[in-house]
Amino acid sequence: MPSVADALRQHAPAYLKRFGDAVPTGHLKVISAITRCRTGALGGVLYHCDGCGREHWVGRSCGNRHCPSCGKEKLYAWLDKQTQRLMPVHHFLVTFTVPTELRLVLRGHQTDGYRALFDAAASSIRDVGSVTKSLAGCQLGYFGILHTWGRDPTVYHPHVHFVVPGGGVKVDDQGRAITWQATPENFLFDHGTLVRVYKAKLADQLRACGLYEQVPIKGWSKTFVVDIRPAGDGRAVLKYLAPYVHRVAISDSRIAHCDKSLVMFLYKPSRAKTYRRRTVSGTEFVRGFLQQTLPPGFQKIRYYGWMSANSKIPLEEVRWLIWLFLGWTFWLASGHAPQDKPPPRPQVRCANCGSTMRVIQVTYEPVRLLTQHALSYLDSG
């Protein structure tokens, strides 16, 4: 089956020739990394199968955060860590989007635009929470993840998902934690208030970075969609978000066909139960994929309140307050409380017998210098 890398190898040269110096350096690096990933151009890894004794040579991965073939180990590590950080309470998924007129501005000024989007959304959660009856006097803890695509990976759709526990830490005048205060399971904030505050704060953030004047006036009259959904214990949301934390837009399995002129991929429209096929030109596919490229060094996951690294209230203290609130203290002390077990990480297995393989050699030399060396191992396998 064709892959994203195959599509880029086929169509990126024509795209680069057409747009020349207008292509950002970051996009060039992404193309270079993904098209060389696992081809041997970046070196290789030699595996030994303990089951059948065969040896397998595999080209090294590029490790680029936009590569759909890389990042699985980081994905599982993030999911493991974040699952352990979940609090034993109900959660909400809060999503902030922007109208089309603002998307055009953000795409042209990604570093400042994405930062403005993050800051406006995060401060809106904080400030609206402070005037919500169930959270009055509380400090919240939450994190956000930036997405720049929708269900169709070639469409630019910047938005931020926030995972917000249903409650907050009640603090005294000195900022010391006193108790846990929970929200109803089906209500976090007043939706209308959150939308109005977010819209005003985003305008202020864009003024601060000099981008406000570039937004057409009619853009501010458009609907700013903010979605608040109950998310249960938060585990399902983490599993939904995890694949997009260390990869981007579209997986290899969704590339249905690729030829000299066209790329066909699968996508699932909103509210649809099955995937549909869409065919675009090779240039359009490359353009759509590259517009999801993040600025170098940009942090797409951000933590706030008592979830941030510099919080004066440790996570373990928050967890203990929740246990007290739920009346779990004696149960936890008895040792009968269930312990979260992280999902097992995938292992590299032999294509011949299915046994686990182990690494015996890693080289960083390009494949052209290793051709005879590599072929000898492949032949022996």
Side-chain angles (χ1 to χ4, degrees), residues 192-210:
T193 302
L194 185 62
V195 172
R196 290 193 296 272
V197 172
Y198 164 61
K199 185 176 179 179
K201 285 184 175 294
L202 183 57
D204 290 341
Q205 291 292 336
L206 292 177
R207 287 190 186 96
C209 61

Side-chain angles (χ1 to χ4, degrees), residues 94-238:
V94 186
T95 304
F96 295 84
T97 69
V98 295
T100 302
E101 289 79 5
L102 274 78
R103 295 177 195 173
L104 299 176
V105 175
L106 297 187
R107 185 168 59 181
H109 305 83
Q110 293 183 348
T111 300
D112 291 335
Y114 293 161
R115 186 183 299 116
L117 178 59
F118 255 123
D119 292 346
S123 60
S124 296
I125 292 176
R126 180 198 64 205
D127 292 352
V128 174
S130 67
V131 296
T132 300
K133 183 177 180 180
S134 60
L135 294 171
C138 292
Q139 183 178 129
L140 305 184
Y142 48 99
F143 70 91
I145 300 177
L146 173 70
H147 283 183
T148 60
W149 61 92
R151 294 181 178 274
D152 184 339
T154 64
V155 175
Y156 182 69
H157 178 48
H159 56 285
V160 183
H161 294 294
F162 284 89
V163 178
V164 186
V169 177
K170 190 80 172 180
V171 295
D172 59 19
D173 295 337
Q174 285 73 43
R176 293 174 298 190
I178 302 175
T179 186
W180 176 260
Q181 191 163 303
T183 69
E185 293 189 4
N186 61 349
F187 180 83
L188 180 63
F189 305 133
D190 177 75
H191 180 265
T193 302
L194 185 62
V195 172
R196 290 193 296 272
V197 172
Y198 164 61
K199 185 176 179 179
K201 285 184 175 294
L202 183 57
D204 290 341
Q205 291 292 336
L206 292 177
R207 287 190 186 96
C209 61
L211 297 179
Y212 181 82
E213 298 298 331
Q214 298 189 32
V215 180
I217 296 177
K218 66 177 181 179
W220 296 108
S221 63
K222 296 293 183 67
T223 300
F224 282 65
V225 177
V226 177
D227 187 57
I228 307 173
R229 296 188 182 185
D233 61 7
R235 294 173 184 272
V237 170
L238 290 183

